[in-house]
């Protein structure tokens, strides 16, 4: 598991291994717009302010993924203990 911090509210949520970031955020009442939930449509694209995502999407180019400044919370996870999101 890993933690996600919401930069605007300071809320921190733990993302368990059997749930997505979108699901973990929904559980605390934070809705991220989604459509495909498979990493292909781009709807859930979210800015990353700190931490290193574990990109599992097919939407971004490898170059975009390497920037680590945005990720797809419907399917991607984290390589660092915490991700700070622009939410
Ligand atoms: Fe489609 Fe996340 S909902 S990429």
């Amino acid at each position: 598991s890993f933690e996600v911090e919401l930069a605007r509210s300071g809320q921190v949520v733990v993302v368990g291994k059997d749930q997505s970031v979108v699901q973990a955020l929904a559980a605390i009442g934070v809705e991220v717009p989604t459509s495909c939930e498979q990493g292909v449509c781009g709807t859930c694209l979210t800015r990353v302010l700190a931490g290193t995502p574990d990109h599992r999407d097919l939407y971004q180019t490898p170059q975009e993924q390497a920037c680590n400044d945005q990720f797809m919370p419907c399917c991607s996870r984290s390589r660092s203990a915490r991700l700070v999101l622009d939410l």
Side-chain angles (χ1 to χ4, degrees):
S1 65
F2 56 95
E3 294 176 340
V4 167
E5 177 181 333
L6 307 184
R8 295 176 204 172
S9 65
Q11 284 178 290
V12 176
V13 60
V14 175
V15 182
K17 66 178 177 62
D18 294 326
Q19 64 180 170
S20 69
V21 174
V22 165
Q23 289 169 340
L25 292 176
I28 61 165
V30 177
E31 300 290 340
V32 176
T34 61
S35 180
C36 72
E37 302 201 34
Q38 295 178 353
V40 297
C41 75
T43 302
C44 67
L45 187 71
T46 300
R47 291 229 314 139
V48 175
L49 302 178
T52 306
D54 178 5
H55 296 288
R56 308 262 178 109
D57 68 285
L58 298 171
Y59 176 76
Q60 298 187 85
T61 65
Q63 290 82 0
E64 288 172 331
Q65 290 183 344
C67 291
N68 288 332
D69 61 354
Q70 54 187 17
F71 88 136
M72 319 307 297
C74 68
C75 61
S76 293
R77 306 192 66 80
S78 183
R79 294 189 187 284
S80 50
R82 180 178 287 196
L83 284 181
V84 181
L85 303 182
D86 186 19
L87 289 175

